[in-house]
Amino acid sequence: MILRRAGLTLLLSLSLLSLPCVGTLQAQAPEDVNRAIERAVDFLKSKQRHGIGNWEEMGDYKGGVTSLVVLSMLLADVSPDDDRIKKALVYLRQVPPEYTYVVALQTMVFAEAKSDFGLIRRNAKWLMETRLPSGNWSYGRRGGAGDNSNTQFALLGLKAAADAGVNINEEFWKKSRQHWVNSQSNVGSWGYRGIGDATGSMSVAGISSLIITSRQFASVKKGFVDGRAVRCDGALIDENLRRAIDWIGRNFSVSRNPAGGNEVWLFYYLYGLERAGRLTGQRFFGNHDWYRLGVRFLLTQQRLDGSWSTPRAAQGPYLLCNTAFSLLFLTRGRIPILVNKAQWGAGDDWNNAPNDVNNLTEFMSKTVWKKRLNWQSVDLKVADVAALLQAPILQMSGHEAPRLPVAQRTLLRRFVEQGGLLMADSNCSCGSFDQGFRTLCKDLFPGPGQELKRLEPDHPVWTSLFDLRNLADDWPLFGIDVGCRTGVFYSPKDMSCRWEFPTEEASLPAFRLGANIIAYAVGPEDLLDKLDVRKVFDDVPEDEIKRGYLHIAKVRHNGDWNPAPRAIQNLMSSLQEIAKIDVIRQQRDIEILDPNFFNYPLVYMHGRNAFTLSKKEKETLTDYLESGGVLFADACCGSERFADSFREMVEELFPGQKLKPIPVEHELFTQEIGYDLSKVKLSKALGSREVAPVLEGLEIDGRYAIIFSPYDIGCALERHQGSDCKGYTHEAALKLASNVILYALKQ
């Protein structure tokens, strides 16, 4: 007879009174930001002039405010087919090129709306022709001295034109960059004109302009040799950029325009701060988390009508500009992070190809997924697991051996165990990094079956996005299986330096291989909002057995019985936190013939290969189930081998009976048990569809004694799902498994 633990039924009944959604563990900030964005868009829409289709302009700068407002709305996902946008575009097409601000913003609007390439090309030509001999821009054809504000916008417009397909030669970008180098102060700042009178708004403009111009030409010391092989003998370290980033870190603020900045342009500064943070890949300036701090400030400063203002700029076109600048900060800054670039070691060896991850991210964003994506760098010396998990991929490369201290090795291991993917390559195919990374892998994952091994052409990474099976022989790719999927990918052949050259045909295989590794791990629909916080399941020591606490055992069988070793631990941690059940978080690994087997009200079974039970094991398991026990099982990544073997076992336990689909209307899937599971989401291997849950069961005396999922649950509980893993998402798996446990405890 099954021995129920004292007090468990009472704890269960209390937990069922109110079971929240899994998502309630996340901060509410993303929803707050979305509401602020909606209110701002509604405010801007309400201020459009119905007759002409424009917004109130600033002085003689016809089209300037309208362009800025339309740009902010487009980036807030207002469709170019929206009637207000269409009307504004008609108006902007009639605005001739005359002022630098207007021409640049107009170009950015046309590029974002993917329209009017002829006007984009016209505007780019105008901007190139109006640049001053010193490499900067004034207000326009009327002349006057150049300034850094006009120059910043001119470069933003030209970048938008270049991204749209306008050819701008490398020498033009180099001369424009030289202006910013020449006008930077010794401490790293910029003013409106020249070196003096530093301001925050002009200093973030300088950071963005250095990045925009330098990305138009290679940032490694040597490029292609004979148009094929890359030699990246170290990065061209941008000391100007480094000094500027340090200056912002020392003078950081979100509530004022730092140094001598005019407070009228506070929101203009914030718009520049967002761009500087995004383009540099910096999550922090100094120790300041710029986006989260900026969001907090803007949410507290938004007015009831959805606008933003300062006391000296509270009406008319200034109000429109400040609202548009704030909207741009919120919308651009929240773009999901696809890849974190690992900053490791004491020097710059981690950054031999400064634009590698940026270019790979742009390849995924523009060529593959057609979705706005971003990247950032993370310093392993100060990062925690939650910071690394903000992106699904962590990229690492270098020339020298990565000799990491224990704390950083632990950080990498926990990141991968929590569902992250480590992608590494050896710059210039250097032997030092190659040997060092192989040693690092042995330290990270010393367990049996976790060796770094070459991936054969039938591994799903070769076909996860592009069919690269013909590349497998010439491009060795190694991996480590962690849980249910490959969690570490390593290329001893250089990828990242090739990513530095996105327009070279010889780089395309490297881009496609990087894209396949990313697509193996994650789909575009799985990416987190930048403000979302992924729950970290902590390592827990072996719990002391306590009376009245729920403890689940995992069945040891002669197949691969433990492909998801942390699944039960993660599930129990979630039940403890959400359902408030007292649990033993560590799973008990148990054989069916163990004398303590009958002490567990529910046992869990998992695997990917076929297995068999002895006659005595079958008899014992039958007695266990007929005595009130529950067997919960799932096929690892939808393995048909395990599923067939499990169904065969059930027929041997109970001759003449088979597993049958559990009806969707059964209480197991209802809030009477726990969660409403009328619809659950499948993994990307099954199309990321929302469907009715698929569980099979066998009833004994009116209760389900065996509950089986032919789709993966265990790997999903670990967030370990590759592109070939047929199962449920992590959130759906948590809910399904929680309901199964709660149902079993009620019987």
Side-chain angles (χ1 to χ4, degrees):
M1 181 177 180
I2 299 298
L3 300 178
R4 304 292 184 183
R5 296 191 180 277
L8 196 56
T9 303
L10 174 61
L11 289 170
L12 175 62
S13 63
L14 291 174
S15 73
L16 295 179
L17 293 177
S18 177
L19 190 60
C21 297
V22 172
T24 58
L25 294 178
Q26 298 176 342
Q28 295 301 304
E31 290 72 28
D32 295 339
V33 170
N34 290 338
R35 283 192 293 270
I37 289 172
E38 291 172 3
R39 292 171 57 209
V41 168
D42 288 343
F43 170 80
L44 292 174
K45 285 182 176 180
S46 73
K47 297 301 179 181
Q48 187 176 24
R49 292 172 168 174
H50 297 293
I52 305 176
N54 70 336
W55 279 260
E56 183 180 355
E57 304 290 6
M58 191 172 291
D60 295 332
Y61 299 101
K62 179 182 178 182
V65 174
T66 297
S67 294
L68 179 62
V69 168
V70 172
L71 179 65
S72 70
M73 291 171 63
L74 287 171
L75 289 169
D77 295 326
V78 178
S79 170
D81 294 326
D82 182 276
D83 287 341
R84 290 179 176 83
I85 299 294
K86 289 165 69 174
K87 199 168 187 178
L89 289 174
V90 170
Y91 166 79
L92 289 176
R93 291 183 185 113
Q94 301 169 12
V95 176
E98 187 175 4
Y99 295 103
T100 302
Y101 281 120
V102 178
V103 175
L105 284 164
Q106 184 189 46
T107 305
M108 295 161 71
V109 167
F110 291 149
E112 189 62 37
K114 295 179 173 55
S115 68
D116 300 279
F117 181 73
L119 294 180
I120 293 174
R121 186 166 48 198
R122 178 204 70 181
N123 286 0
K125 183 174 182 292
W126 186 92
L127 288 169
M128 294 173 71
E129 290 175 349
T130 56
R131 188 181 67 178
L132 301 175
S134 54
N136 60 347
W137 278 262
S138 68
Y139 277 86
R141 288 196 187 278
R142 295 182 182 179
D147 64 78
N148 285 333
S149 184
N150 273 293
T151 301
Q152 169 190 218
F153 273 93
L155 291 173
L156 288 170
L158 287 170
K159 180 184 183 300
D163 289 344
V166 175
N167 182 40
I168 302 172
N169 66 64
E170 187 174 300
E171 290 305 313
F172 185 92
W173 294 110
K174 286 183 176 179
K175 184 167 184 178
S176 297
R177 181 184 183 279
Q178 194 59 43
H179 158 75
W180 292 95
V181 172
N182 294 341
S183 60
Q184 186 181 27
S185 73
N186 291 334
V187 296
S189 61
W190 284 270
Y192 182 67
R193 286 195 177 98
I195 293 175
D197 300 324
T199 68
S201 52
M202 290 299 93
S203 295
V204 291
I207 290 174
S208 299
S209 298
L210 286 177
I211 291 286
I212 288 170
T213 52
S214 65
R215 281 186 181 159
Q216 310 307 315
F217 46 89
S219 296
V220 294
K221 290 182 179 176
K222 294 187 179 180
F224 277 78
V225 177
D226 299 327
R228 294 178 61 83
V230 176
R231 288 180 54 81
C232 49
D233 295 340
L236 290 170
I237 301 302
D238 194 333
E239 293 296 342
N240 300 91
L241 181 61
R242 179 177 293 176
R243 292 205 314 275
I245 290 173
D246 289 345
W247 188 90
I248 290 295
R250 294 192 304 271
N251 295 274
F252 183 85
S253 177
V254 293
S255 59
R256 61 181 179 84
N257 190 352
N262 190 328
E263 295 310 308
V264 170
W265 303 116
L266 168 62
F267 298 101
Y268 171 52
Y269 155 70
L270 289 177
Y271 167 51
L273 177 68
E274 178 279 322
R275 186 166 55 257
R278 174 167 46 85
L279 292 180
T280 58
Q282 298 281 133
R283 178 175 174 179
F284 297 92
F285 284 113
N287 61 352
H288 308 286
D289 193 335
W290 61 265
Y291 183 63
R292 283 165 175 76
L293 291 172
V295 164
R296 183 186 304 170
F297 174 75
L298 287 175
L299 293 187
T300 61
Q301 296 299 309
Q302 189 175 28
R303 304 199 314 180
L304 292 177
D305 62 1
S307 67
W308 283 270
S309 69
T310 62
R312 295 175 57 193
Q315 58 187 351
Y318 287 98
L319 181 62
L320 295 171
C321 288
N322 287 335
T323 302
F325 287 140
S326 300
L327 185 56
L328 285 164
F329 181 99
L330 293 177
T331 55
R332 297 287 276 180
R334 69 174 178 171
I335 295 173
I337 305 297
L338 178 64
V339 182
N340 277 327
K341 183 172 182 175
Q343 180 178 344
W344 60 272
D348 295 308
D349 191 42
W350 65 278
N351 200 29
N352 289 306
N355 297 322
D356 52 359
V357 173
N358 173 77
N359 291 342
L360 177 62
T361 302
E362 287 202 354
F363 179 76
M364 295 299 296
S365 175
K366 297 177 180 178
T367 306
V368 180
W369 284 343
K370 311 297 184 183
K371 175 186 176 75
R372 296 188 188 106
L373 301 168
N374 208 352
W375 68 281
Q376 64 186 13
S377 60
V378 290
D379 189 342
L380 298 185
K381 293 190 294 294
V382 297
D384 58 14
V385 178
L388 295 190
L389 286 172
Q390 192 176 55
I393 313 293
L394 180 68
Q395 186 268 351
M396 185 175 182
S397 63
H399 286 132
E400 303 302 324
R403 297 184 177 91
L404 305 183
V406 173
Q408 293 178 32
R409 296 201 301 270
T410 301
L411 176 69
L412 292 182
R413 175 184 58 78
R414 293 194 63 214
F415 165 73
V416 175
E417 288 178 343
Q418 297 279 336
L421 185 144
L422 176 61
M423 172 174 63
D425 69 291
S426 175
N427 291 155
C428 302
S429 306
C430 283
S432 295
F433 184 90
D434 179 68
Q435 292 302 315
F437 187 78
R438 292 175 187 273
T439 300
L440 175 63
C441 287
K442 291 178 182 178
D443 291 340
L444 294 179
F445 301 104
Q450 291 190 316
E451 300 83 10
L452 188 67
K453 56 187 177 183
R454 185 161 181 172
L455 303 180
E456 299 298 328
D458 61 351
H459 190 285
V461 73
W462 295 109
T463 54
S464 60
L465 191 61
F466 300 99
D467 189 341
L468 300 179
R469 286 173 291 186
N470 61 345
L471 193 66
D473 290 337
D474 298 329
W475 199 305
L477 187 65
F478 292 77
I480 298 176
D481 289 338
V482 181
C484 306
R485 45 104 218 206
T486 304
V488 177
F489 287 91
Y490 170 59
S491 171
K493 186 174 180 178
D494 194 305
M495 289 193 298
S496 54
C497 286
R498 287 175 168 83
W499 296 336
E500 190 75 20
F501 300 88
T503 61
E504 297 287 346
E505 185 177 350
S507 293
L508 188 57
F511 275 98
R512 287 181 170 174
L513 182 55
N516 271 30
I517 294 172
I518 290 172
Y520 171 83
V522 68
E525 70 283 349
D526 301 321
L527 296 171
L528 298 176
D529 185 288
K530 191 171 181 179
L531 288 174
D532 281 329
V533 178
R534 171 169 277 183
K535 177 175 173 54
V536 176
F537 293 102
D538 294 327
D539 290 326
V540 295
E542 184 68 42
D543 289 302
E544 178 186 354
I545 302 299
K546 302 175 183 177
R547 290 182 59 82
Y549 280 62
L550 172 63
H551 197 189
I552 291 179
K554 179 181 278 190
V555 177
R556 298 175 67 109
H557 54 79
N558 62 7
D560 58 336
W561 63 275
N562 200 30
R566 296 174 61 93
I568 294 300
Q569 176 181 309
N570 292 353
L571 172 61
M572 301 306 277
S573 294
S574 179
L575 277 172
Q576 183 181 51
E577 184 168 355
I578 296 175
K580 308 304 180 186
I581 294 177
D582 288 332
V583 301
I584 304 296
R585 289 173 292 174
Q586 283 284 3
Q587 73 182 29
R588 165 73 190 280
D589 304 333
I590 195 167
E591 295 181 351
I592 294 174
L593 299 182
D594 189 300
N596 294 307
F597 191 75
F598 280 70
N599 289 339
Y600 296 91
L602 181 144
V603 293
Y604 173 64
M605 199 168 176
H606 185 58
R608 77 174 93 225
N609 294 321
F611 66 94
T612 58
L613 299 183
S614 69
K615 180 180 178 181
K616 183 63 174 176
E617 286 175 323
K618 294 174 188 175
E619 292 173 350
T620 302
L621 185 54
T622 301
D623 289 344
Y624 168 83
L625 296 170
E626 290 179 338
S627 299
V630 175
L631 172 60
F632 173 38
D634 70 288
C636 173
C637 288
S639 167
E640 293 183 4
R641 295 189 300 275
F642 181 86
D644 291 343
S645 190
F646 187 84
R647 292 189 179 104
E648 182 179 335
M649 177 202 75
V650 171
E651 293 182 34
E652 292 173 348
L653 296 180
F654 300 97
Q657 299 190 56
K658 294 183 178 182
L659 292 173
K660 296 180 180 179
I662 299 178
V664 178
E665 60 272 14
H666 191 274
E667 65 170 339
L668 172 60
F669 301 120
T670 68
Q671 285 183 313
E672 293 179 18
I673 291 297
Y675 294 102
D676 177 0
L677 297 178
S678 54
K679 293 289 184 182
V680 291
K681 191 172 183 180
L682 298 175
S683 67
K684 59 189 173 74
L686 293 171
S688 299
R689 296 174 289 125
E690 287 199 352
V691 299
V694 178
L695 291 181
E696 301 172 12
L698 184 141
E699 288 185 288
I700 298 177
D701 297 331
R703 67 176 182 90
Y704 280 105
I706 300 177
I707 299 172
F708 172 65
S709 172
Y711 294 152
D712 177 86
I713 289 178
C715 294
L717 291 173
E718 290 192 334
R719 300 194 187 101
H720 285 187
Q721 292 182 303
S723 60
D724 61 334
C725 195
K726 298 176 181 178
Y728 297 98
T729 64
H730 174 69
E731 291 75 16
L734 273 178
K735 292 179 180 180
L736 274 168
S738 296
N739 274 29
V740 168
I741 290 175
L742 296 173
Y743 168 80
L745 296 179
K746 280 188 66 179
Q747 306 312 304

